[in-house]
Amino acid sequence: MINIFRNIFKKIKNSSSYYYPEQLVEHYKDLSEYYRIIAMLEAKTVLHTNAVLAIFDKIIFDKITKKTILKKYGKPQFKYKIQEKYLQIEILFYKINIGGYRVKLELHMYERKLFYYNYTFTNNLNNQQRQEIIKIIQEKYSQDSLFDASKQDIIDENHTQIHIENSLELKIHYLNTMNNAVQVMNIYKKNQENEKHKKKKKKRAELLKRL
C-alpha cells in the first residue's frame, strides 16, 4: 500500500504542472532572462503602429497596477519576487484560455506598475496554427502585408514593443522599452560586464607577472 502511494506521488511530482512554479523560479533566479528578451528586441527592425499595445484596451502600461490585474484575472496561480539592490520585480503567473488555446500568462511589475508581460501557448501547435496566431497579431497592429515576424517587431508611440518568439513554444512578448525597469537593467548589465572585464584583466596581469 505504501508503495502505491509513493508511485502516485512520484507521478504527480514528475508532472509538468507540479514543476511549473519551480521552473519559473529557476527561469527568473536572476536578470539573465530579461537581458535575453531585451537583446532579442534590440536585434529586430520595428514597424510602428497607431494602436495602443496593452493587455487592457487603451490602458497604457504605466496605468496598469497590480490592483487592475487582480480585478481582471483574480488571484494568480503563482507569484514570485526578484530582489536586487535597486530593482524589485513582482511577477504574477496565470493559466488562461484564449480562443480555445491553453496559455500561460506572466505579468511583470516594477514600482507596482506593469512593464512586461508575455503569453506562452502551451498546446502542441502545428505550423498552420502558429501562422494563424501571428497573422491575427499582424492584422490587429500592422497594416503592412509584408510584416515578417522572424525579422520584425511592432512598436507603438508609448515605446511598447511586441516580439514573437516562434521556437519550441509560441511566445508573445510585450515590453515597455522605456520603462525605468529596463533602464536599471541596462545599468546592471553594464556594471556586470565591467566587473567581468576587470577580473579578466587582473587575472591576465597576475599570469604575466608569475609565469
Side-chain angles (χ1 to χ4, degrees):
M1 181 66 71
I2 293 174
N3 288 333
I4 292 173
F5 282 113
R6 281 178 178 171
N7 289 334
I8 292 171
F9 178 74
K10 187 176 181 181
K11 287 179 181 179
I12 295 171
K13 187 175 180 180
N14 288 334
S15 70
S16 59
S17 60
Y18 180 90
Y19 276 115
Y20 181 52
E22 295 175 353
Q23 290 171 344
L24 293 172
V25 171
E26 178 66 21
H27 205 51
Y28 293 109
K29 64 182 179 181
D30 53 30
L31 300 178
S32 58
E33 176 62 10
Y34 294 110
Y35 297 155
R36 187 187 76 85
I37 294 164
I38 292 168
M40 285 195 305
L41 271 65
E42 289 178 343
K44 294 292 187 76
T45 58
V46 294
L47 292 176
H48 292 268
T49 179
N50 293 325
V52 176
L53 305 182
I55 194 166
F56 304 125
D57 288 343
K58 298 181 181 180
I59 305 178
I60 61 175
F61 271 66
D62 288 347
K63 301 296 182 182
I64 298 175
T65 64
K66 183 177 179 179
K67 184 178 179 180
T68 311
I69 294 166
L70 294 177
K71 186 176 179 180
K72 171 68 176 179
Y73 291 107
K75 184 180 178 180
Q77 272 83 13
F78 182 67
K79 56 185 178 180
Y80 180 66
K81 287 186 178 181
I82 298 175
Q83 298 284 346
E84 296 287 345
K85 189 174 181 180
Y86 299 109
L87 191 68
Q88 290 81 44
I89 296 172
E90 184 173 15
I91 312 171
L92 305 180
F93 302 94
Y94 293 90
K95 292 181 180 180
I96 60 175
N97 187 289
I98 301 178
Y101 294 105
R102 295 191 304 274
V103 177
K104 289 184 288 190
L105 169 62
E106 300 177 12
L107 300 116
H108 299 236
M109 288 170 291
Y110 174 66
E111 296 178 335
R112 300 183 180 182
K113 304 283 181 66
L114 185 69
F115 76 93
Y116 165 70
Y117 68 96
N118 67 60
Y119 297 111
T120 301
F121 289 79
T122 58
N123 302 66
N124 292 322
L125 302 178
N126 59 40
N127 187 61
Q128 183 179 349
Q129 291 170 319
R130 289 169 183 253
Q131 293 307 315
E132 178 188 16
I133 293 167
I134 292 171
K135 187 176 180 181
I136 288 171
I137 293 171
Q138 175 189 342
E139 291 175 352
K140 183 175 181 180
Y141 297 116
S142 173
Q143 301 302 315
D144 191 339
S145 60
L146 299 177
F147 171 68
D148 184 351
S150 66
K151 299 177 182 178
Q152 297 171 307
D153 284 352
I154 298 172
I155 193 168
D156 70 5
E157 62 181 12
N158 300 309
H159 306 285
T160 299
Q161 187 169 335
I162 296 180
H163 176 79
I164 300 171
E165 186 177 3
N166 191 3
S167 54
L168 293 177
E169 295 179 308
L170 180 62
K171 196 167 189 175
I172 316 298
H173 303 267
Y174 297 75
L175 177 70
N176 185 264
T177 58
M178 295 301 290
N179 188 276
N180 288 338
V182 178
Q183 310 309 313
V184 174
M185 286 177 196
N186 286 332
I187 294 171
Y188 263 90
K189 186 178 181 183
K190 188 175 180 179
N191 289 341
Q192 287 175 349
E193 288 172 349
N194 288 339
E195 284 298 315
K196 188 176 179 180
H197 179 71
K198 286 179 182 177
K199 288 180 180 179
K200 187 177 180 179
K201 190 175 179 180
K202 184 179 179 180
K203 183 178 179 181
R204 175 177 169 79
E206 185 177 354
L207 288 170
L208 286 169
K209 182 179 179 181
R210 300 289 296 274
L211 297 179

